[in-house]
Amino acid sequence: MYDFQYQSASSLADAKGKMGAAEDGRYLAGGMTLIPVLKQRLDKPTDVVDLGGLGELRGIAEENGAIVIKALTVHHDVNTSDLVKEKIPALAELAGTVGDPMVRNRGTLGGSLANNDPAASYPSAVLALNATIHTDQRTIAADDFFLAMFETALGDGEIITQVSFPIPETAGYRHFPNPASRYPIVGAFVAKTGDGPRVAITGAGGTVFRIEEMEAALAKNYAPDAIAGITYPDKDLNADIHASAEYRAHLIGAMAK
């Protein structure tokens, strides 16, 4: 780990000020990604601004037909929230599949989205539920947020403050887990929303993506058989020691169905 200046933020404004004064700073939320990256010397920031003390960025509530989850809410709290389990049970179930108990008690919703790991679970829920990401500067639609592997629409120093998940008519999440890390080799979040069905796939490509052909089929018949014959090309899908691109293409159909 390289030397850096550790700073603890006392408020959102304080965090912004500290980051603005840093030569090359990083925000620290739960630390489930940043700390290993620093330990492996894959990044060399001059400053790390810890957001962990910002209680204003924690909590879950229902507002205007949506479940609003603040950015520093940990996965365990999403998984065990009675409100989330009642209104969007698939989201609560998804949160319970993330990592292990330590990760679920430290990792945060905002940190996961800002990092945009290609195998992260939360992006599929955000995209399938047509959620809105709120930052300290603006709101960003789910379809505009995830750009590429580890890349989002966030600007320098921009902080996610909360995510608004519209309550769907119904939704489900399934993933095929890596047996060691529990990351989804491929995961599928399918939701029947007020604007029609949405299908989001994670783990298969460089970033989360929708499958419009499946969505169109489900709009006509919201049932597993409606997408049983739909295949996804393996071109540009991830391939590694865990699964080939061809196998991931197969898993897309299996998990979505």
Side-chain angles (χ1 to χ4, degrees):
M1 187 180 292
Y2 296 107
D3 289 342
F4 60 84
Q5 179 70 30
Y6 170 83
Q7 302 191 61
S8 179
S10 59
S11 67
L12 189 59
D14 183 43
K16 296 290 291 184
K18 285 181 166 62
M19 182 61 73
E23 179 182 345
D24 185 21
R26 303 286 183 274
Y27 289 122
L28 174 67
M32 296 297 95
T33 296
L34 182 60
I35 297 301
V37 165
L38 294 178
K39 289 174 70 176
Q40 295 175 60
R41 295 194 170 193
L42 297 176
D43 196 6
K44 190 179 181 181
T46 60
D47 298 75
V48 171
V49 180
D50 190 351
L51 305 175
L54 305 187
E56 63 197 274
L57 296 184
R58 288 191 175 86
I60 302 171
E62 182 178 358
E63 299 177 8
N64 302 318
I67 298 301
V68 177
I69 304 178
K70 294 189 176 181
L72 289 186
T73 304
V74 298
H75 312 319
H76 172 77
D77 290 349
V78 178
N79 174 230
T80 59
S81 165
D82 289 336
L83 180 60
V84 179
K85 287 191 286 186
E86 177 188 355
K87 300 296 183 178
I88 316 180
L91 181 59
E93 181 181 354
L94 177 150
T97 70
V98 177
D100 55 30
M102 181 175 181
V103 170
R104 291 193 289 274
N105 279 278
R106 289 292 303 173
T108 66
L109 170 62
S112 176
L113 298 183
N115 185 53
N116 193 25
D117 190 297
S121 298
Y122 271 118
S124 66
V126 170
L127 193 56
L129 293 169
N130 199 19
T132 299
I133 297 91
H134 300 255
T135 78
D136 61 311
Q137 300 176 24
R138 54 180 171 149
T139 59
I140 308 171
D143 286 323
D144 300 325
F145 185 79
F146 305 102
L147 302 183
M149 185 181 295
F150 299 112
E151 183 181 352
T152 71
L154 292 172
D156 291 342
E158 192 170 4
I159 299 177
I160 298 174
T161 56
Q162 63 186 32
V163 181
S164 177
F165 295 90
I167 298 171
E169 295 181 34
T170 186
Y173 175 73
R174 290 293 181 272
H175 79 273
F176 192 86
N178 180 304
S181 69
R182 315 310 295 170
Y183 269 104
I185 292 176
V186 169
F189 201 110
V190 181
K192 189 176 184 181
T193 74
D195 296 323
R198 291 171 67 96
V199 178
I201 304 298
T202 190
T207 189
V208 64
F209 59 90
R210 291 168 58 192
I211 302 182
E212 295 182 358
E213 186 179 359
M214 287 186 178
E215 294 174 352
L218 290 172
K220 297 176 181 177
N221 177 26
Y222 196 81
D225 287 345
I227 59 174
I230 297 175
T231 59
Y232 194 84
D234 59 19
K235 182 182 179 181
D236 299 327
L237 294 185
N238 295 336
D240 51 33
I241 62 172
H242 306 294
S244 66
E246 182 182 15
Y247 187 50
R248 280 186 163 91
H250 167 74
L251 285 176
I252 287 174
M255 296 299 102
K257 184 179 178 181

